[in-house]
Each structure stands twice: as C-alpha cells, then as structure tokens.
Amino acid sequence: MTLHIFNTLTRQKEEFKPLVPGKVGMYVCGMTVYDYCHLGHARAFLAFDLIVRYMRHIGLDVNYIRNVTDIDDKIIQRANENGEPFLNLVDRFANAMNDDFDQLGIERPTHEPRATAHIDDIIKLVQTLIEKEYAYAVPNGDVYYRVRKFEGYGKLSGKVLDELEAGSRVGVDSDKEDPLDFVLWKAAKPEEPHWDSPWGIGRPGWHIECSAMSTCCLGDTFDIHGGGPDLKFPHHENEIAQSEAATGKTYANTWIHAGALRLGAEKMSKSLGNFFTIRDILEKYDGEVVRFFLISSHYRSHVSYLDNSLDEAQAKLERFYNALQEANVGEAVDIDNEYSKRFHAAMDDDFNTPEAIAALFDLVREVNKTTGDEQAALAGQLKYLGSVLGCLQADPQTFLQAGAGDDAAWIEEMIAKRIAAKKAKDFATADAVRDELVAKGIVLKDVPEGTSWSKS
RNA sequence: GGCGCGAUAGCAAAGCGGUUAUGCACUGGAUUGCAAAUCCACGUAGGCCGGUUCGACUCCGGCUCGCGCCUCCA
C-alpha cells in the first residue's frame, strides 16, 4: 500500500505523490512566541511530528520547515507590559517552546525560519502583489490585499466571499476598499518595532510572512502545507491568495490540518482562557505519557482532554514497558510479519495511529506469550515500531519507576527486609513490608531473578 | 445566518456492507506462600426515524444533540 493523505483542499484522501520522487517539502505554521505553549499546541505539532517521522520511516527525504512568528501585535504588547525588548521576549519563549517540545519527543524541524529574518523577502512579495494589482497601499502606510481580485479565494476553507461579508464581524475600516481585505504591511509608530519599506516604516502583517518563508525555503510550489485547525481560515486561505496571485502557480499541493484539542466540550484556546501549559502537565506526567495520549486518537479528529486521560495513557504505556522489561529485547528491527503489515497499512492510510497502536498491542501479547529468541526478536520489533511513533524508547525500569522520587534506597532496604522475611517463612512480616510499600504507591513484583518494583 | 465536523459498549478509541478491533475497568480461571506482571475466558456497542440491500454500526435521506470556523488563536 502506498501513503494516502487526507487533503483539506480536495476534502478527500489522495495517494501522496511528491513533486520530486523521494523528496518532500513541507511547511507548517509554527508558534507566535509570546507565552508558554499549551496542550492544544502540543496536539497540533505532535501530529506533524508524527507525519514527518512516518514519511522519513518509509524512506522519504523530508525538508520540514516550521516557522517562528517573532513579530506581531501580541508580542509587542506583551513586551511593553514586561518592559523588555520584543526580541528578548521572543527568544525566551522560543527556547521554552523547544524545551517543551523536546520533552514531548517532537523533533526539531529541518529549518525554523523567523519572520524578522525575512523582511526583505516579505517586502519584495508585497511589491509584486502591488505591481500585479492584487494589493494597494493607503495613505497612512498600510498595504492591503485586494481579496475580491483573487478568483480562487475560499477554495481551501469553503467560504464564500459574499456570505463572509454578510456575517462579518470585522469593523469597517475606512482605508480599505473592502472590509474583507487584509493587511500585508502595517504602518508602525516610531516607538514600535519597525523596518523601512517603500510605504514608510512598518512591520509585516501576519499572513504574508508564511507566504514569504515557505516559498523562500521550498520554492513557489511545494508538497505539503500544514497547521492547526484554526488556521484554515483566514490564515491559510490568505496565504494561498498571496502566493498564487504573486507566482501564478499552485502554492501547496496537499493541505493537512490537525484536529482541535478540547477541554471538556470546548476547544482549548488562549482566547477562551481554558488552557494549561505543557510545562504544567510535565510536572506531573512524563512527556511520553502526554505524547501517547495525544497520538492515541487520529490526528484529524478532536481530542477531548479528560481528568483521567493521562492516567489512561500511562496505563497503556505500562503494558508496553512491562513487556519490554520482562523480555530480553533483541535488536530493534522490523520483522516481516502480520504486525508489521498491519502497522504500516494503518499508517499508510492517512497516518492512522489508533489502528497502528492496536497492532502494537497485539504484538505485545505475542511478546508476552513467547520466550527465548523468538521473544527477543518480537520485543525488538516492538521497540522498533514504537520508535516510528516516537515512543517506547525509554529504559523500561526507568519508565516504570518514574515518580518514586528519592525513595529508591529506602525501597531497596524494604525489599531486602521482605526477602529475608520470606526466607524465614515469616510471611506476615513479608506482607506487612509490601503493604507499607503499597501505601506509598510502590508495587513489588517477584521475578525469578529477585524482586523488582514499580510506581503504581 | 453561512460553511463544515462529529454522535460506537462502563471509559477511551478504530476499521469494516455479512466473519474477535484495540487499551483500560469489571468478572471467572491459570500462575504465585500471598501478590504483582502475564496468559486464558468473558461484553449482540454503534443517538433517533425512515430508505436501499438477501444482509447496515458501515451506503442514502430526515431529525435530535454536541462541536468547530466565519475576529487573534495550533
């Protein structure tokens, strides 16, 4: 089976055929860095991490571009509130983002361009659009995109211009020719961050930077453009309008959008205020647990975060790690068997992680049922297929004992005490020791080699 | 108002026009001094109403409910 991807643009699954066989150019809209990332951000970027990992796994050479938006109204506002230069703020939160993503096993993109490093490209693009009459400058120095001039407007999101206007909550801006026109270049006040331009000092609008950076890194037409669900409109629609008007060529062939993360019934979002940050969660749970929770549902569907979501993900991972701990894990390579076939068929079908994980659970059962070389080989396969998902690479004992804090020495003492009691057939004492440990959340496991423990 | 998505067993979550999804939880058994881990057994789930079909959770229509986008948002 070949890789099939659901294309938002055509609203169907399509066989994926890169422009250049074996190579993939992929652009994903990244973070605007003025605050810590929340779990909803993790959901989206994890989805694309998985997509990139899998494409590389099947031999595609992926050039993965994920930008950082480092200039925008919120950044300026927050920097002012803090009384710090905006680039200071931006660096701080870009670093925080990378730290958080690292813990979730989200691999770094091939390139991470920043808007402020592409001001020249942005200005050139705006100039081209003005020359082609897709954009116009107004007296105060703003430049707007003439939305009605672009025939294909709405093709990605399914919006119809006249209906947008009818229900528009956009205030009428007297300088715009049309209320739906959006800003490409914003005039700046002298005290705000700004760059020189043919239209006076100013800064780029939000949508234009992605058009400039994607084309810059990947060419006029590239394979995949992705982003969070809330970027489909207007951001991605505007990117298409800008780029295709400027180049006269197709912008991106395949559009991928991740599903939203919900807290209860509602989307987790900054504007609703119903979010918690990745680092809040990482104080209580291992990054792999968060990762496994988020990849346990399909990347395009909504995921609801519930009180027990992470505990459930933890329990599932424990099943994997218990198997890996018991087995003598062989070399991490794939085996041509039904588990591999199911795993790959699922992933080839629009990155169906729940189905792929189901195959892995069946493989776990097989690992637990077998012994010796056969078991070692299957356990190696489990570890290998897990690596494709960015999971199961931790030391099993470390994973299973995580959260025990500094109690390890005390636990070993208690275990020694219990083993002595058992030898003396003093089962009452042995059980009392174990009960004391259980009360602290420590579970003992007697194995042929002795006694091991894990955090419950 | 416009456009779109979803509703699966106690919980989470997939595929599929007819044959066990999967995980957790539950129950019984094996194993264990007792446990834990593991294995075996165990659930006629598919919002409601029609239609198509020999047969529908799966296709079509309607309804109800929930959600998203249309404003910055991953």
Side-chain angles (χ1 to χ4, degrees):
Chain A
M1 181 155 172
T2 48
L3 179 61
H4 284 66
I5 303 178
F6 185 90
N7 186 352
T8 310
L9 195 59
T10 57
R11 272 138 244 185
Q12 58 188 0
K13 278 185 205 168
E14 297 169 347
E15 184 176 344
F16 178 61
K17 289 181 184 155
L19 288 163
V20 179
K23 288 184 181 291
V24 179
M26 170 161 159
Y27 183 90
V28 169
C29 296
M31 285 297 301
T32 300
V33 282
Y34 66 96
D35 206 343
Y36 293 113
C37 296
H38 62 62
L39 194 60
H41 300 129
R43 196 269 186 290
F45 294 115
L46 206 37
F48 293 107
D49 178 65
L50 216 100
I51 286 167
V52 171
R53 280 175 185 263
Y54 188 69
M55 289 195 296
R56 287 179 176 154
H57 165 70
I58 59 176
L60 294 167
D61 178 12
V62 184
N63 187 196
Y64 177 29
I65 314 297
R66 194 186 67 206
N67 76 295
V68 164
T69 295
D70 60 352
I71 180 68
D72 113 304
D73 290 350
K74 286 192 183 118
I75 290 172
I76 294 169
Q77 188 191 334
R78 185 66 61 90
N80 283 156
E81 285 167 14
N82 294 354
E84 68 178 325
F86 82 98
L87 283 175
N88 228 52
L89 176 90
V90 157
D91 284 339
R92 206 147 42 81
F93 284 110
N95 289 336
M97 171 189 79
N98 280 321
D99 290 347
D100 292 345
F101 286 5
D102 285 350
Q103 289 202 59
L104 298 180
I106 296 173
E107 291 180 338
R108 303 283 176 102
T110 319
H111 298 289
E112 194 175 59
R114 290 190 177 200
T116 59
H118 288 265
I119 299 293
D120 290 347
D121 297 317
I122 291 168
I123 288 174
K124 264 185 232 155
L125 183 52
V126 175
Q127 277 179 311
T128 301
L129 289 170
I130 290 176
E131 281 161 23
K132 295 195 172 187
E133 298 182 354
Y134 280 99
Y136 56 95
V138 298
N140 79 342
D142 287 345
V143 182
Y144 292 102
Y145 187 94
R146 193 172 271 134
V147 167
R148 284 183 190 278
K149 169 105 175 159
F150 184 69
E151 272 188 39
Y153 198 83
K155 67 181 176 183
L156 178 70
S157 59
K159 306 285 183 200
V160 180
L161 275 173
D162 289 329
E163 282 159 0
L164 274 176
E165 194 163 15
S168 176
R169 277 177 271 173
V170 179
V172 177
D173 186 322
S174 56
D175 279 346
K176 289 186 188 176
E177 290 178 4
D178 187 294
L180 293 172
D181 290 351
F182 59 90
V183 70
L184 296 171
W185 184 262
K186 271 178 125 153
K189 300 184 185 100
E191 70 274 16
E192 292 173 339
H194 61 264
W195 290 262
D196 288 326
S197 83
W199 319 285
I201 61 166
R203 61 177 184 269
W206 175 39
H207 313 298
I208 196 72
E209 62 172 75
C210 285
S211 280
M213 289 185 280
S214 58
T215 301
C216 188
C217 296
L218 298 170
D220 289 348
T221 302
F222 55 93
D223 296 301
I224 297 174
H225 191 130
D230 30 26
L231 297 184
K232 201 190 295 180
F233 187 90
H235 185 240
H236 290 335
E237 196 71 59
N238 290 352
E239 275 190 62
I240 291 174
Q242 292 163 342
S243 292
E244 297 196 349
T247 66
K249 298 176 195 161
T250 297
Y251 181 43
N253 286 137
T254 302
W255 286 83
I256 301 179
H257 291 93
L261 180 89
R262 293 181 186 173
L263 190 60
E266 282 183 316
K267 190 183 80 163
M268 178 177 286
S269 77
K270 290 240 165 138
S271 35
L272 289 172
N274 61 342
F275 63 90
F276 35 77
T277 64
I278 294 170
R279 42 191 60 199
D280 285 343
I281 296 166
L282 289 175
E283 282 182 17
K284 285 190 70 182
Y285 293 92
D286 189 279
E288 186 177 0
V289 172
V290 181
R291 181 181 182 92
F292 199 76
F293 159 58
L294 290 173
I295 67 171
S296 293
S297 53
H298 186 86
Y299 81 88
R300 274 192 288 119
S301 60
H302 302 296
V303 194
S304 285
Y305 176 87
L306 306 169
D307 290 339
N308 61 351
S309 292
L310 292 173
D311 288 333
E312 289 209 352
Q314 170 92 34
K316 291 177 182 188
L317 281 172
E318 280 171 8
R319 179 162 167 78
F320 284 114
Y321 277 116
N322 271 321
L324 290 172
Q325 188 184 39
E326 299 287 320
N328 177 21
V329 181
E331 194 187 347
V333 291
D334 202 8
I335 301 172
D336 184 17
N337 57 17
E338 62 167 308
Y339 305 106
S340 175
K341 284 191 183 75
R342 280 174 57 200
F343 180 89
H344 287 96
M347 292 299 286
D348 279 341
D349 183 15
D350 197 29
F351 312 103
N352 191 336
T353 49
E355 186 71 27
I357 290 169
L360 257 34
F361 275 116
D362 285 336
L363 175 56
V364 166
R365 178 169 294 108
E366 204 60 31
V367 168
N368 286 330
K369 283 166 76 167
T370 51
T371 55
D373 290 347
E374 190 185 4
Q375 183 186 50
L378 290 169
Q381 181 188 23
L382 177 62
K383 185 162 181 179
Y384 175 76
L385 293 176
S387 77
V388 175
L389 302 178
C391 293
L392 309 186
Q393 302 307 295
D395 170 59
Q397 180 169 306
T398 305
F399 181 89
L400 293 168
Q401 296 184 346
D406 302 326
D407 296 337
W410 174 74
I411 292 166
E412 293 301 336
E413 253 177 61
M414 295 293 278
I415 287 173
K417 194 172 158 190
R418 176 165 167 274
I419 287 172
K422 277 176 63 177
K423 271 197 180 144
K425 302 277 182 201
D426 178 4
F427 295 121
T429 301
D431 289 350
V433 168
R434 193 180 55 214
D435 290 346
E436 193 177 340
L437 286 164
V438 166
K440 297 231 175 191
I442 305 299
V443 178
L444 298 185
K445 190 197 292 189
D446 292 333
V447 291
E449 305 80 51
T451 298
S452 71
W453 62 273
S454 61
K455 189 91 174 70
S456 63

